[in-house]
Amino acid sequence: MTDQAASASKLETGVSQLRCIGCGAVRASDATNVRCGECGDLLEVVYPGWKTRAGMRAAGLDASGLQELWRQRRTSYKALDESGVWRFREVLPALSDWNHVITLREGNTPVYELPGCGRAAGVRVLYAKHQGMNPTGSFKDTGMTSAASFAREGGFRWVACASTGNTSASMAAYAARAGMRSLVLIPQGQITWGKLSQALDYGAVTCQLKTDFDGCMRVLDEVVQRMPVYLLNSVNPYRLEGQKTAAIELLERFDWKSPDHVIVPGGNLGNSSALGKAFLEMKELGLISELPKLSVIQAEGANALVRTIRETGGKKLVSVHAETMATAIKIGSPASWKKAVRVLEATGGAVEQVSEVEIALAKAEIGADGIGCEPASAVTLAGLKKLVKQGFVKKNESVVLILTGNLLKDPDFTLKFHRGDLFAGTLQEEEAESILTPRQRSPMVLDANANTVVKVLEHVERTES
Ligand code: F0G
């Protein structure tokens, strides 16, 4: 064994524990219950060996060694190394048998520059890390590879989630890969066809409940008490461990110099919590010296975190009845609100809310940069514009938007936008018309005749250049 291989195998034996975020009770890492047995609050994965510099060295967690090892793995064809999650396995909870890992080669997502969006927002350089480029089209895959692998290791036959669509699509795929059955609870009529069809294709038992997402979550909490079913919502601490690798990848992409700002959409608040946890851990391990400010943006109609911060200083959850066309984040009672408040405070980030028209405009602007995303992801750009106006983000600071879902997740929204139907019959119709019309590109129905097409081209040349 070479020195490097020897140190790599030592690194792979990471020891983790589960700690309650409410009462602090600690127990050994296992995949049985996702809530604290003492007080019922959420659990988080902690790594006791990292507490001191000496402990880190003993665990083989030397900063430059890790950076080099993780980079080298990008040239490997081993399944674990090809995954943009498990490539970072030294800072993830270890499975007792790595063969239990279920991977679709998630992660390793691209970072793009968004010049048009940068101009629209008023910042010099703007980047997007596109988590919609994951195997099932959303960031959920990075968390699912981790939590579903723990479900498999725990011997569960059934996994389950309540979802606004993306979690269910991802869970169904990972369960199918491992031969596990999956149960999906979704709010009837409130998730996009793209996401629903994925769950069906991957063989999930799919129940459309006559309630909203928060209602689905309540029903599922009871189901998992009564049946031997493993909960794969983001209250599951192993989900967040996988999801945190997007932040590690981002830091790696910027040569371990943090951008000034990272902006993320907020729904159930698992993702913001996960990314924030990674930034804090990377600082603790000495891989970065400065933290980025992590800001969370919500839709005005689903603004529980914004209200929680503004009205209670982050002390008590203010639940809302959620309404937004960005169905992925149509959540009124976010489960991970305490974790999100903690990372906002620790990184000095902001919270902001954006209107439906602002979301629609931002989504079209991201599309016009040739990237595209689903509506929930576009809240990041809409929110950035506000943070720049407020002076919280400065023109010369580096900013990364986390785009969470692929454009093709919600083609209905995009088609309605371009046909001018999105706000028809709503109170925002007039506002939408004046702001959005210049961005609309309605498809044309023409005779099959070259002259007609040439006329269209000439007209567009005259009016748009
Ligand atoms: N963006 C997209 C595309 C999402 O699907 C979600 C959440 C979020 C942002 C918000 O992330 O919940 O971690 O704050 N979707 C979940 C689901 C709730 O069921 O697919 P969060």
Side-chain angles (χ1 to χ4, degrees):
M1 204 188 249
T2 63
D3 284 351
Q4 206 163 33
S7 84
S9 67
K10 182 167 59 137
L11 289 172
E12 284 175 13
T13 56
V15 177
S16 65
Q17 292 175 335
L18 292 172
R19 183 173 66 197
C20 172
I21 62 163
C23 69
V26 174
R27 64 180 168 84
S29 207
D30 68 30
T32 47
N33 203 336
V34 300
R35 286 189 180 274
C36 174
E38 311 288 320
C39 74
D41 215 331
L42 296 184
L43 300 171
E44 63 181 344
V45 176
V46 289
Y47 302 87
W50 299 2
K51 283 227 173 74
T52 60
R53 292 262 161 209
M56 290 180 201
R57 267 198 306 277
L61 296 168
D62 151 67
S64 59
L66 284 176
Q67 288 164 351
E68 179 56 21
L69 179 67
W70 293 341
R71 201 178 55 79
Q72 272 179 12
R73 285 187 182 146
R74 294 210 67 164
T75 59
S76 157
Y77 291 115
K78 225 172 106 181
L80 275 188
D81 296 345
E82 278 189 321
S83 162
V85 171
W86 298 104
R87 180 160 84 81
F88 301 105
R89 53 193 174 275
E90 289 70 25
V91 291
L92 298 177
L95 289 149
S96 62
D97 179 352
W98 290 109
N99 291 317
H100 288 142
V101 166
I102 314 161
T103 175
L104 289 165
R105 313 302 190 270
E106 51 292 313
N108 292 326
T109 55
V111 171
Y112 301 116
E113 264 193 53
L114 298 180
C117 296
R119 279 192 297 278
V123 291
R124 214 167 40 79
V125 196
L126 178 61
Y127 299 94
K129 179 157 178 69
H130 207 326
Q131 293 297 93
M133 299 300 183
N134 270 294
T136 76
S138 84
F139 70 100
K140 305 288 180 179
D141 295 340
T142 54
M144 208 53 76
T145 182
S146 160
S149 300
F150 277 92
R152 181 195 231 179
E153 181 153 287
F156 284 90
R157 278 195 56 239
W158 280 90
V159 291
C161 72
S163 181
T164 57
N166 280 325
T167 302
S168 52
S170 180
M171 180 190 74
Y174 282 82
R177 294 295 293 172
M180 293 187 290
R181 301 299 314 277
S182 63
L183 170 71
V184 163
L185 302 189
I186 45 173
Q188 189 201 11
Q190 297 178 41
I191 81 163
T192 70
W193 294 121
K195 299 172 190 177
L196 176 59
S197 59
Q198 284 181 288
L200 300 179
D201 211 35
Y202 303 134
V205 174
T206 305
C207 307
Q208 306 188 74
L209 303 191
K210 295 174 188 163
T211 177
D212 54 11
F213 169 82
D214 302 288
C216 291
M217 206 60 240
R218 280 193 292 276
V219 172
L220 186 61
D221 274 339
E222 204 181 316
V223 172
V224 298
Q225 297 304 321
R226 291 168 52 178
M227 302 291 287
V229 170
Y230 191 55
L231 182 69
L232 281 181
N233 275 95
S234 60
V235 293
N236 183 311
Y238 299 109
R239 275 272 311 276
L240 301 200
E241 290 309 287
Q243 276 173 221
K244 81 182 183 188
T245 57
I248 306 176
E249 259 178 34
L250 181 66
L251 295 172
E252 181 185 53
R253 163 69 175 70
F254 288 105
D255 206 13
W256 304 101
K257 287 176 201 72
S258 293
D260 297 305
H261 294 274
V262 174
I263 302 188
V264 62
N268 217 16
L269 300 174
N271 202 31
S272 35
S273 305
L275 300 176
K277 185 173 192 279
F279 292 133
L280 294 167
E281 287 178 354
M282 290 304 104
K283 179 135 190 284
E284 189 186 349
L285 289 173
L287 278 90
I288 52 171
S289 53
E290 304 286 337
L291 289 171
K293 292 190 174 71
L294 182 76
S295 295
V296 180
I297 315 294
Q298 296 194 298
E300 265 175 17
N303 60 352
L305 179 68
V306 175
R307 292 193 53 186
T308 296
I309 299 274
R310 291 185 184 164
E311 293 169 27
T312 78
K315 302 268 181 305
K316 192 170 178 310
L317 176 65
V318 180
S319 294
V320 299
H321 172 74
E323 275 307 335
T324 170
M325 282 193 260
T327 52
I329 49 173
K330 191 174 168 193
I331 293 173
S333 209
S336 293
W337 68 275
K338 279 188 197 165
K339 290 184 179 178
V341 167
R342 214 170 48 178
V343 300
L344 278 169
E345 283 171 357
T347 68
V351 284
E352 197 39 88
Q353 57 186 357
V354 292
S355 73
E356 298 292 292
V357 174
E358 288 166 337
I359 296 171
L361 175 62
K363 188 177 115 55
E365 287 167 337
I366 294 167
D369 263 338
I371 301 302
C373 63
E374 68 165 287
S377 307
V379 301
T380 53
L381 176 60
L384 170 64
K385 291 179 192 172
K386 290 195 160 170
L387 297 180
V388 172
K389 282 209 182 90
Q390 293 157 11
F392 181 76
V393 175
K394 313 273 182 308
K395 187 176 189 298
N396 288 326
E397 287 184 316
S398 51
V399 184
V400 181
L401 309 179
I402 305 294
L403 301 182
T404 44
N406 197 287
L407 170 73
L408 297 175
K409 287 281 191 173
D410 192 355
D412 267 4
F413 183 102
T414 310
L415 283 174
K416 280 191 186 148
F417 174 93
H418 287 288
R419 289 186 172 135
D421 297 342
L422 204 53
F423 293 94
T426 70
L427 290 173
Q428 300 102 310
E429 190 164 1
E430 235 171 80
E431 179 199 0
E433 206 174 297
S434 65
I435 295 175
L436 305 180
T437 308
R439 291 271 168 193
Q440 280 160 6
R441 300 280 177 276
S442 193
M444 292 166 245
V445 180
L446 303 173
D447 287 335
N449 164 340
N451 279 343
T452 329
V453 178
V454 167
K455 273 199 190 117
V456 168
L457 273 185
E458 287 171 348
H459 174 75
V460 172
E461 271 286 318
R462 262 197 322 277
T463 54
E464 289 186 19
S465 43

